[in-house]
Amino acid sequence: MTSFEDLGLSAAALAAVADLGYEEPTPVQERAIPAVLAGRDVMAAAQTGTGKTAAFLLPALGGLGRVGRREGPRMLVVTPTRELAQQILEVAQAVCAHTHQRAMSVVGGVSYEPQREALKRGCDLLVATPGRLLDLMGTGDCDLGGVRVLVLDEADRMLDMGFLPSMRRIVAACPDDRQTLLFSATLSDDVLKNTGDLVRNPVRVEIAPKGTTAQTVAQYVLGVSAEAKKRTLVEVLRREGSERVIVFTRGKHRADHLCRVLRKKGFSAAPIHGNRTQNQRARALAQFSAGEVGVLVATDVLARGIDVAEVAYVVNVDVPHESENYIHRIGRTGRAGEHGWALMFVDADEFKDLQSIEKLMGRQIESYPRPEGLDVGEHPADLSVVRLTPQPERASGKNRRRRRRSRKEA
């Protein structure tokens, strides 16, 4: 069995491993860390919750050195959402406590001035979302000329959110002789086509194929009527428990409405979506992590941005438009070797989306085993049929419209 010591990490990085509570490297860490230490560019894909963040932070920070005041960054991590940036920063700070480096983040939704002041003091590692980083580059507050290691995190999600032009502007501002590490949930054809020229002779690390879900998550589906979803959700929460539950839905306003419904029914619930400020989102996550809020209601923009230990289960009130978002949604539970489960409500209009998800995974999702007594409406979707039948590919224009609608709703 491979240990972190076997991978060649520095003493400081190994001390951080102990603080972080890691016992043995995950497959993506075992394969990516030696390549990063060797100075190679890397393109890596692995399921959500498998330790990709530590796979690039531990080896890169351990050999990066330190910058002086008003210098840096030497390492830049670009990630699509504020929540992901915060999670990466938390792991980075645990490592920097031993490497004596400075790490900071620049994200949207908060004041510019504190970020400008922090950049003036200098940093070794900068974690950034694309929009805010480009703003600070444009005002001359952030110079990427000293970047030695560039990490593009959740590259497939950044492409899906329309960040490719921003990614290219950021990459162009970094030195040509940098080391580039691209981490993603998948190395799909889209990712390879649009980002392949950003890396040089990369080591490819693929731990799980596209559509692979964590084996620690049991999956169930329940046919409902569209108008009954709120009632069904309330009954499921009462039956299965309402502590450490994440509910995913389509649209910011729908998430807010569901929260109001749940609160009226006596549940503690908080929304988290793109219209909430950074402080509101951070507070909701902190309250959820502390157990002060039992149910978190989120949109797809946060499907990869919520990393909370011991989530009991996930409820998909609405089927996601994009099949891969289902994989990321249910990956919020069953993390770090723990077991969890996920339930998805499906109405008649969502049947084809369900088929697309099952086609992606290559298997049919089991029916919810405890439907007795639930109010699923007068005309629930009939899910008793075999659903893994070949589906014609949607026209590319329709796919583009669906992606745009998903981003707008989130």
Side-chain angles (χ1 to χ4, degrees):
M1 181 180 297
T2 303
S3 68
F4 281 102
E5 289 81 358
D6 297 330
L7 300 180
L9 290 169
S10 68
L14 290 174
V17 166
D19 279 358
L20 290 164
Y22 301 156
E23 296 182 357
E24 60 186 54
T26 64
V28 69
Q29 292 166 354
E30 184 175 345
R31 292 181 56 185
I33 286 174
V36 177
L37 289 172
R40 297 287 302 278
D41 284 10
V42 174
M43 296 185 78
Q47 296 167 222
T48 182
T50 55
K52 294 193 292 292
T53 300
F56 59 77
L57 286 178
L58 288 170
L61 285 173
L64 198 62
R66 296 172 61 189
V67 302
R69 184 173 175 80
R70 297 182 179 273
E71 295 181 345
R74 285 189 178 175
M75 181 175 181
L76 171 65
V77 180
V78 183
T79 195
T81 70
R82 295 171 251 177
E83 282 68 31
L84 285 167
Q86 180 59 35
Q87 290 166 25
I88 293 167
L89 183 63
E90 289 172 0
V91 178
Q93 288 172 335
V95 180
C96 289
H98 294 277
T99 59
H100 307 293
Q101 296 160 315
R102 293 191 297 272
M104 63 167 289
S105 67
V106 294
V107 299
V110 295
S111 173
Y112 282 88
E113 199 55 37
Q115 296 178 358
R116 291 192 179 104
E117 291 301 316
L119 286 167
K120 288 179 182 177
R121 292 192 292 272
C123 67
D124 301 281
L125 167 67
L126 179 64
V127 185
T129 51
R132 178 55 60 92
L133 177 58
L134 286 172
D135 288 347
L136 292 166
M137 290 165 57
T139 58
D141 292 295
C142 186
D143 180 7
L144 304 184
V147 170
R148 288 166 46 186
V149 180
L150 169 65
V151 181
L152 301 175
D153 184 47
E154 300 289 358
D156 54 338
R157 182 62 173 162
M158 286 201 282
L159 290 176
D160 188 55
M161 293 174 71
F163 284 138
L164 180 60
S166 298
M167 290 167 61
R168 290 195 172 278
R169 288 176 60 191
I170 292 165
V171 170
C174 297
D176 290 338
D177 60 351
R178 70 186 183 273
Q179 180 182 22
T180 304
L181 312 175
L182 187 148
F183 282 74
S184 177
T186 66
L187 290 181
S188 63
D189 293 340
D190 191 36
V191 172
L192 295 173
K193 175 184 176 182
N194 287 293
T195 65
D197 62 329
L198 304 181
V199 293
R200 293 186 299 270
N201 188 28
V203 173
R204 285 185 55 169
V205 176
E206 293 188 76
I207 302 303
K210 179 180 177 180
T212 302
T213 55
Q215 296 180 354
T216 53
V217 181
Q219 303 172 58
Y220 304 106
V221 67
L222 178 67
V224 300
S225 296
E227 80 284 350
K229 284 186 173 183
K230 288 176 286 187
R231 299 195 301 271
T232 309
L233 174 62
V234 168
E235 293 177 2
V236 167
L237 290 172
R238 285 175 175 163
R239 175 181 296 187
E240 303 289 355
S242 57
E243 298 297 322
R244 306 193 77 79
V245 182
I246 299 179
V247 174
F248 281 103
T249 187
R250 291 177 180 171
K252 307 162 190 174
H253 299 299
R254 183 159 167 78
D256 288 333
H257 176 67
L258 271 180
C259 273
R260 290 193 293 269
V261 169
L262 293 178
R263 288 166 182 164
K264 287 180 180 179
K265 296 295 182 179
F267 300 102
S268 61
I272 186 164
H273 53 69
N275 272 2
R276 306 290 284 176
T277 67
Q278 180 60 24
N279 287 337
Q280 288 173 325
R281 288 155 72 159
R283 183 165 60 250
L285 280 173
Q287 291 174 333
F288 184 72
S289 298
E292 298 168 9
V293 168
V295 183
L296 201 60
V297 184
T299 58
D300 274 327
V301 75
L302 279 308
R304 301 191 206 187
I306 303 172
D307 189 4
V308 181
E310 299 176 354
V311 171
Y313 63 101
V314 167
V315 180
N316 293 287
V317 170
D318 302 311
V319 181
H321 289 308
E322 297 297 321
S323 300
E324 289 184 21
N325 282 344
Y326 172 78
I327 307 296
H328 302 305
R329 286 181 177 190
I330 69 172
R332 302 310 98 199
T333 186
R335 299 174 74 82
E338 298 291 332
H339 289 273
W341 62 281
L343 173 62
M344 180 161 59
F345 299 163
V346 181
D347 65 41
D349 290 337
E350 297 171 319
F351 190 80
K352 287 187 177 180
D353 288 320
L354 170 62
Q355 287 181 303
S356 296
I357 290 169
E358 292 180 327
K359 181 179 179 181
L360 175 67
M361 298 191 299
R363 67 184 185 88
Q364 187 165 304
I365 303 173
E366 296 180 28
S367 294
Y368 178 60
R370 298 174 290 280
E372 297 80 10
L374 290 179
D375 180 0
V376 294
E378 294 184 6
H379 304 288
D382 181 9
L383 304 183
S384 62
V385 298
V386 175
R387 299 184 296 272
L388 276 179
T389 54
Q391 295 296 304
E393 292 292 331
R394 297 186 180 96
S396 59
K398 187 173 182 180
N399 270 334
R400 288 194 295 271
R401 289 194 297 274
R402 290 171 69 86
R403 282 196 290 269
R404 287 197 296 269
R405 183 171 59 178
S406 294
R407 292 197 295 270
K408 184 177 180 181
E409 288 174 344

